[in-house]
Every structure is written in C-alpha cells, then in structure tokens.
Amino acid sequence: MEDLPVHVMIDILSRLPVKTIIHCKFVCKKWLDLISDSYFANLHLSRSPASLMLHHNPDNGMRAPRKVGILKWVEVKDELDHHHLHHDPVMTFDLDLAPIFQHSQILPVGSVNGLICLWQYGPKSDNTYICNPITREYMILPRQQYYREGYAMIIYCFGVGSLTQEYKVIRIFQGDIPPDPTSSSRPSIVEAEVYTLGTCQWRSLGHVPYLLNGWSGPFLNGNAHWIVLDRDSPEELCTFDFDKETFELFPSPPVEIIEESQMHFQSLAVLKGCLCQSDTFESQFTIWVMKEYGIKESWHREVIIKESISPDLDWVMWEPVYLTEGLKDGTILMIYYEDKLLAYSPKTRTIEDTKIFNRYFTGMGYRPSFLKLQKFESESVYVL
C-alpha cells in the first residue's frame, strides 16, 4: 500500500470502519499524518454512516448522582431489508474521567458533523462543552452571560452555518426573575446568546420573539427548529438561521386534536434528512414528515401507531417518545422517556424494545467523524 498515490491511500482509509481507522493511526507516521489531516476528516464525514450516541447514566435516578455517565456510540449495521444495532464497550467516552465533569449533571444538547455539545447543569453549575468522542477531545466554552439563579428554562441548539461554515451554539434563556408562582403570563425574560467556536466569547442576540418548548432543538439545513408555545402564533414552529442569526416562524404540520385525550406531548427530530414532528396522545402516536424542506404542503402524516399495536408495550403512550433515527429498511428508532430504545417497523406495523441498555439514558442521531477541535485555534482543547 505504501506504493499507492496519496489520494488513493486516503480514499481507501476513509472507507474503513472507525475502529479500524483508529488502529491505523498507530501503523506508521505517514498514516497518522493522513488521518489527522482535515481533508481526510471531511472525506470520511461525507461517507460516515448513520448511528446513535447515547448518554447512559445508571445513577441518574438517585437524588445526588455519583457519576456523570458515559457517551456510548451505537453503530447501525443498516441493510435494505434488515438492521442490527451494535455497541462496542471500547468505543465509549467516559465523562467521569474528566475532573471538570465530576459531581455534576450532564445533558447532550446537540450533535453536528461528529461534534457533540454538552450542557453541565445544576444548582451551582451552568457550563457548555464541545467534544468529539472519536478523537477524545473536548473544549470548555467561557461561562455564559445569561446565567441566573432561580427558576429558568435553558434551550440549546448546536449547528453550523450553511454559507459561513461557522460552528455555533445558540442558547435561549426564558424564565421569571424572580419567579412568580401565581403568574399565568409568559416568562418575563426570553433572551438569547450565541457562541461561534473560535471566537472565545458569547454574543447577546437580545429578545427572542417566541416562547419555545423543549430543551433542545434539532438542527437541519443551517437552522435550529423548535415548537412555539404562543397560542396566537400563525405557525407552531420557529427556526433560528445560523448564518443570519435571526428567528423566523416556520411552516408547521396540520393541527391534530383528539378530543378524548387528556394529554398531548410533541417533539421535533430529523430522520433521514427530513424534519419530523411526533405527537403522543393517550391512544395513538403520530409522526409527521416534511418531504420538502420549508414547504408547508409537503407535511405528510407518515406513521400512526395505535395503542393496541403491541399488548406488551401498552405503556408506550404514557410518557413522551422522542425520535432518534430512521433506517434504510424503514425502521424508526425512538427513545421512550429515558427508559427504552424502541424500534418501529412500518412494514410489519410492530414496535419492539431493543433492550440495548437499561434505564436512564438519552440519545440522538450521530455521524462519527475525525474532525479535530484543534481547528478552532483560539480555543483551549483537552484530550481525555
């Protein structure tokens, strides 16, 4: 292989499994240099397969968690007619090994191009980190401007501008300072700030025109997406453009109402490159898919899961269900509350528990990459 042209060697290496590529870095200095180059990282990312990144913390149910948890990469062996989920314990990112994460709580709030944004939260902590579990690097962002004591909801999204290719973290703070338990009006503070990786500073974006739902918004086509809580809003979704840094209303699917239902949970996700909205009622679970991005008429009710679909899983409608990934064979992976990773097959109209992990985990769609955090030269980068 040493006699092959460099571009051929890079092409071959970029097609290997991630774990094999990591081993190849130790074969010789030439291979290490090739794999460490940004061109290789971008080429590999363009071929990087769909997978999941789960944050598993068995201590999460305790009042005072002793551990932060582990980021576990779940590979999807995805064929046209079947799939297989594989978790290699070696390919984990143990957050407890980093002193800065210990004795706190961590929540993954976004992933783009193999990088993951982590939020460290608690009564006395409010910090943001970016990490790459494959290269085992992480960086600490400066402390945010809008940290407040008392009641608040913090909303995140991590993404990259379609035109500028700048990686940014958008963070929205909405709450009452001080909290007023008797007030039924909207929060008195709805402010946003943004951090561009490589600048070492948060910038205020001022007032946000919409009240948003959920702690994290999915990223797609250069935009963050959230559900709007304002009842009088003409649309029930809004976006944040990572290039323009502006908030806009976004076409939402038709309103679905089930009169006899006492509850209604909603969430957004990205499946196979399409924006999706899920609606959980007591009697059914609905998935809407936007076939053409930005076109209201392209919303299609793709899946309706009735309560009676599986007698063994009749509890599925009791708590929120979050979509995580869509596979080639049509299977949709979803997380029920923080307890189970479920797989729904539209072909057979069945839903099953994958039983891949025990309780207390969250997850998101993930594309492994070798993108190095050192590319953001002004940032302090650490290796776990």
Side-chain angles (χ1 to χ4, degrees):
M1 189 167 173
E2 291 293 330
D3 297 330
L4 294 175
V6 172
H7 72 278
V8 176
M9 293 177 62
I10 293 177
D11 183 72
I12 294 174
L13 290 171
S14 68
R15 297 175 185 273
L16 299 175
V18 170
K19 190 173 181 179
T20 303
I21 295 175
I22 293 175
H23 290 317
C24 288
K25 293 171 63 175
F26 301 98
V27 171
C28 62
K29 186 177 185 303
K30 183 175 183 179
W31 284 18
L32 173 62
D33 292 340
L34 291 177
I35 294 171
S36 302
D37 189 78
S38 60
Y39 175 78
F40 173 86
N42 292 330
L43 180 62
H44 174 268
L45 181 62
S46 68
R47 296 166 173 167
S48 188
S51 60
L52 302 177
M53 184 62 69
L54 302 183
H55 175 235
H56 186 216
N57 187 1
D59 282 348
N60 195 48
M62 302 180 181
R63 292 185 178 181
R66 295 169 296 175
K67 295 184 177 181
V68 181
I70 300 175
L71 291 177
K72 299 185 175 184
W73 175 37
V74 179
E75 292 182 88
V76 180
K77 304 297 183 180
D78 198 359
E79 304 296 339
L80 290 177
D81 57 350
H82 69 279
H83 68 271
H84 172 68
L85 303 180
H86 173 69
H87 166 243
D88 186 344
V90 175
M91 299 297 292
T92 60
F93 192 73
D94 191 344
L95 300 173
D96 289 295
L97 296 179
I100 58 171
F101 295 138
Q102 293 178 2
H103 307 295
S104 64
Q105 298 183 72
I106 290 289
L107 184 66
V109 292
S111 176
V112 60
N113 294 345
L115 304 183
I116 295 177
C117 182
L118 302 172
W119 175 33
Q120 183 185 38
Y121 64 99
K124 297 183 180 180
S125 62
D126 181 27
N127 300 296
T128 307
Y129 305 86
I130 306 297
C131 74
N132 185 335
I134 302 302
T135 63
R136 313 194 75 77
E137 300 170 312
Y138 68 92
M139 66 170 63
I140 310 170
L141 305 192
R143 194 167 181 81
Q144 296 85 340
Q145 298 177 28
Y146 288 111
Y147 174 72
R148 301 284 194 278
E149 293 185 358
Y151 171 79
M153 173 179 282
I154 308 297
I155 300 171
Y156 272 87
C157 186
F158 177 45
V160 58
S162 298
L163 301 176
T164 62
Q165 292 299 301
E166 293 179 331
Y167 288 78
K168 299 179 181 181
V169 179
I170 171 72
R171 170 179 145 104
I172 301 167
F173 177 96
Q174 53 188 42
D176 292 316
I177 306 297
D180 181 3
T182 64
S183 175
S184 60
S185 61
R186 64 178 287 149
S188 59
I189 295 180
V190 186
E191 302 283 341
E193 57 188 355
V194 66
Y195 186 97
T196 302
L197 268 59
T199 63
C200 296
Q201 65 176 353
W202 289 90
R203 291 179 290 109
S204 173
L205 297 178
H207 178 70
V208 177
Y210 313 109
L211 183 62
L212 308 178
N213 181 32
W215 47 265
S216 178
F219 174 78
L220 178 66
N221 289 352
N223 289 273
H225 304 77
W226 294 283
I227 295 173
V228 175
L229 291 179
D230 299 295
R231 295 181 179 180
D232 298 330
S233 175
E235 296 289 354
E236 295 188 351
L237 302 180
C238 89
T239 60
F240 173 77
D241 189 309
F242 276 79
D243 285 321
K244 300 177 182 178
E245 298 187 351
T246 56
F247 293 89
E248 301 287 345
L249 288 177
F250 189 77
S252 54
V255 177
E256 188 171 22
I257 299 176
I258 298 180
E259 296 293 344
E260 64 273 15
S261 179
Q262 299 296 316
M263 66 178 189
H264 182 197
F265 300 113
Q266 290 181 300
S267 65
L268 297 176
V270 175
L271 300 183
K272 300 177 70 172
C274 293
L275 184 66
C276 300
Q277 176 177 303
S278 60
D279 292 75
T280 305
F281 299 95
E282 291 172 336
S283 58
Q284 73 178 45
F285 178 74
T286 305
I287 300 176
W288 294 87
V289 179
M290 184 177 245
K291 299 290 188 178
E292 297 181 53
Y293 185 77
I295 306 300
K296 187 176 181 66
E297 293 73 21
S298 72
W299 279 108
H300 175 68
R301 189 161 58 180
E302 192 86 355
V303 174
I304 300 178
I305 303 176
K306 295 293 185 179
E307 184 179 14
S308 60
I309 188 172
S310 175
D312 295 333
L313 300 177
D314 58 357
W315 38 261
V316 167
M317 309 300 175
W318 295 358
E319 299 287 352
V321 178
Y322 301 98
L323 308 179
T324 56
E325 190 58 80
L327 309 182
K328 290 180 181 179
D329 65 355
T331 298
I332 298 173
L333 300 177
M334 56 188 77
I335 294 177
Y336 168 75
Y337 203 36
E338 294 181 353
D339 287 348
K340 299 180 183 297
L341 179 63
L342 306 176
Y344 171 74
S345 172
K347 293 180 180 179
T348 60
R349 295 187 178 182
T350 58
I351 188 169
E352 64 176 350
D353 182 359
T354 63
K355 299 180 180 180
I356 193 167
F357 289 120
N358 294 323
R359 302 178 63 190
Y360 305 124
F361 65 86
T362 59
M364 63 184 71
Y366 174 71
R367 299 294 191 277
S369 83
F370 288 86
L371 181 64
K372 298 183 70 63
L373 295 184
Q374 277 90 346
K375 68 171 290 187
F376 308 104
E377 295 180 357
S378 59
E379 304 284 359
S380 296
V381 178
Y382 306 88
V383 178
L384 191 61

